[in-house]
Amino acid sequence: MENLATLDRSPQDRLGRPLRDLRISVMDRCNFRCPYCMPRERFHEHYAFLKTAERLSFEEILRLTRLFVPMGVRKLRITGGEPLLRVNLPDLIADLNAIPGVEDIALTTNGVLLAKHAYELKAAGLARVTISLDSLDQDIFARMNGGFGKVSEVLEGIEHAQAAGLGPIKINTVIQRGVNEDSVLPLVERFRGTGITVRFIEYMDVGNRNDWREQLVVPSRDLQARIHARWPLQPVRPDYAGEVARRYAFDDGAGAVGFISSVTQPFCGACSRARLSSDGVFYTCLFAQTGTDLRGPLRAGADDDDLGRIIRGTWSHRDDRYSEQRMILRSRSQAGPKVEMNYIGG
Ligand SMILES: C[S@@+](CC[C@H](N)C(=O)[O-])C[C@H]1O[C@@H](n2cnc3c(N)ncnc32)[C@H](O)[C@@H]1O
Ligand code: SF4
């Protein structure tokens, strides 16, 4: 229950949107090279990832999170890069979980290291995991992730997460035209009736390095029609305001599928998400070109009031709605580079 004092301190942005979610990228590196996120040729072996000292330490992440929570943040999502590459991650989760006001902590992972860490993460207070899996077919899976890992490792991760109670589990599947469209029905079939919800994500123009083209996007409505023809679906009401995925339940009661349609059905109007990059920059949009540096002032000795003012001011000035304006913004010749996905997570 929010009390009046908390509500008083919750900023709204210029479009009247409150701050409710904080996505924390704990690691810019990844053990995959998904061409739609960190293409291998651009994120090669000499790529200059952050140095350890450039990443926010756990203490710094905790201090900033403690400042975000009184401004309305209730849900945290730990992401990356690949968050499970961050050493001692359960220690961070345990400390985040102890912050009064934090109601939910989730993690997004490619799942390869999950079997090893699921129980420890659950014991530390992690509530839920979202696991990315673009195909059950090993060859297509490898094509979608740059040639790393095995489908069987991800499935094992999912099993361990389920056994550890890290649910409800969601699967994120990015669909790219001409690459993994045929993986849709097998994925739905595999997870129907298991309590796990597969969410199909339209390929997005995040970052600057994935050579995104609109022709590579498969609109969610096409996928929905394809699934509906095999297993009839009906729309489900959102669980909460600002839910990113539109969900559809199977008529036969075998659960639901979701669609995240940032390209064809943008959901900026209800976006309450703030993003903290691995090097401590506060972004107010996944597609942002600039952010507000929090690490600089934090390391220069700013006190909590100063940092709180910066956070509040940044959110209050926010008017991002990139997905709604995508085509106009992309056509502008002065459009600058966007932040890369591995710095701020999905
Ligand atoms: C950036 S990843 C970080 C966490 C973890 N490495 C993973 O893959 O789950 C978070 C999510 O963003 C999704 N993603 C990355 N690039 C994308 C793109 N260009 N379009 C749509 N989704 C994308 C991934 O599939 C993943 O589900
Ligand atoms: S989507 Fe996730 S797993 Fe794939 S390259 Fe990006 S951060 Fe790594």
Side-chain angles (χ1 to χ4, degrees):
M1 225 6 214
E2 285 167 317
N3 60 34
L4 282 177
T6 307
L7 286 175
D8 275 352
R9 285 180 285 148
S10 302
Q12 291 205 333
D13 72 9
R14 287 190 183 166
L15 303 177
R17 297 169 296 189
L19 171 53
R20 289 287 177 265
D21 310 77
L22 179 62
R23 300 195 166 199
I24 305 171
S25 170
V26 292
M27 174 51 87
D28 54 312
R29 287 178 179 270
C30 188
N31 45 358
F32 279 11
R33 286 291 180 275
C34 306
Y36 52 76
C37 176
M38 297 176 72
R40 209 172 175 150
E41 26 336 320
R42 316 251 176 136
F43 291 84
H44 42 69
E45 56 186 306
H46 303 299
Y47 183 82
F49 286 101
L50 296 174
K51 297 189 175 76
T52 304
E54 290 173 320
R55 284 188 202 109
L56 289 184
S57 66
F58 285 177
E59 290 68 30
E60 290 170 330
I61 292 173
L62 286 165
R63 180 154 172 225
L64 291 176
T65 306
R66 282 193 200 100
L67 295 171
F68 272 97
V69 169
M71 297 200 197
V73 166
R74 294 289 169 266
K75 291 180 171 187
L76 305 178
R77 178 167 294 278
I78 310 300
T79 178
E82 176 45 46
L84 296 183
L85 291 179
R86 181 80 187 240
V87 175
N88 297 330
L89 188 65
D91 293 348
L92 175 67
I93 306 264
D95 289 341
L96 289 171
N97 198 34
I99 297 176
V102 170
E103 291 170 3
D104 183 38
I105 308 182
L107 172 110
T108 307
T109 172
N110 62 32
V112 160
L113 299 171
L114 190 55
K116 202 154 109 194
H117 296 292
Y119 286 93
E120 213 186 344
L121 289 165
K122 177 68 185 178
L126 184 70
R128 303 177 290 120
V129 283
T130 298
I131 299 147
S132 302
L133 177 60
D134 294 337
S135 184
L136 291 171
D137 177 293
Q138 179 59 38
D139 293 339
I140 301 174
F141 172 79
R143 208 173 143 200
M144 289 297 283
N145 74 23
F148 296 87
K150 295 202 180 81
V151 173
S152 57
E153 292 169 319
V154 180
L155 293 176
E156 204 189 329
I158 294 170
E159 277 165 26
H160 279 71
Q162 228 174 356
L166 284 170
I169 293 175
K170 294 175 191 155
I171 307 276
N172 274 358
T173 304
V174 177
I175 297 294
Q176 211 174 321
R177 191 180 294 287
V179 185
N180 67 335
E181 287 158 288
D182 290 344
S183 300
V184 170
L185 294 183
L187 277 163
V188 173
E189 185 161 35
R190 168 89 193 208
F191 293 107
R192 262 170 49 84
T194 63
I196 295 174
T197 303
V198 183
R199 306 172 334 152
F200 295 99
I201 308 181
E202 287 179 346
Y203 178 29
M204 299 184 288
D205 53 336
V206 287
N208 316 284
R209 299 183 162 120
N210 62 7
D211 296 326
W212 182 88
R213 278 165 291 138
E214 204 184 352
Q215 300 87 295
L216 299 178
V217 178
V218 182
S220 292
R221 62 178 169 277
D222 295 0
L223 299 180
Q224 185 203 325
R226 208 183 284 191
I227 299 168
H228 179 74
R230 176 85 177 267
W231 298 286
L233 295 168
Q234 51 187 308
V236 180
R237 267 174 200 240
D239 268 347
Y240 52 90
E243 191 174 352
V244 171
R246 291 191 186 194
R247 283 182 303 125
Y248 291 78
F250 297 109
D251 275 356
D252 65 4
V257 284
F259 299 93
I260 301 178
S261 321
S262 145
V263 180
T264 63
Q265 296 166 61
F267 37 84
C268 303
C271 178
S272 55
R273 285 175 288 284
R275 297 163 191 276
L276 185 59
S277 71
S278 356
D279 54 350
V281 182
F282 168 24
Y283 291 96
T284 55
C285 179
L286 180 57
F287 303 94
Q289 293 183 0
T290 56
T292 304
D293 176 34
L294 297 178
R295 188 190 65 186
L298 187 123
R299 291 189 181 174
D303 65 20
D304 284 355
D305 287 345
D306 295 333
L307 290 167
R309 261 192 297 276
I310 299 174
I311 295 171
R312 171 183 296 280
T314 302
W315 190 264
S316 307
H317 283 94
R318 171 190 196 233
D319 61 1
D320 314 274
R321 48 191 195 95
Y322 178 89
S323 290
E324 291 177 354
Q325 301 173 314
R326 172 174 279 110
M327 289 313 163
I328 301 169
L329 294 175
R330 285 181 69 85
S331 67
R332 282 194 190 152
S333 53
Q334 73 271 27
K338 301 192 270 330
V339 60
E340 289 299 335
M341 186 81 152
N342 61 313
Y343 281 106
I344 56 169

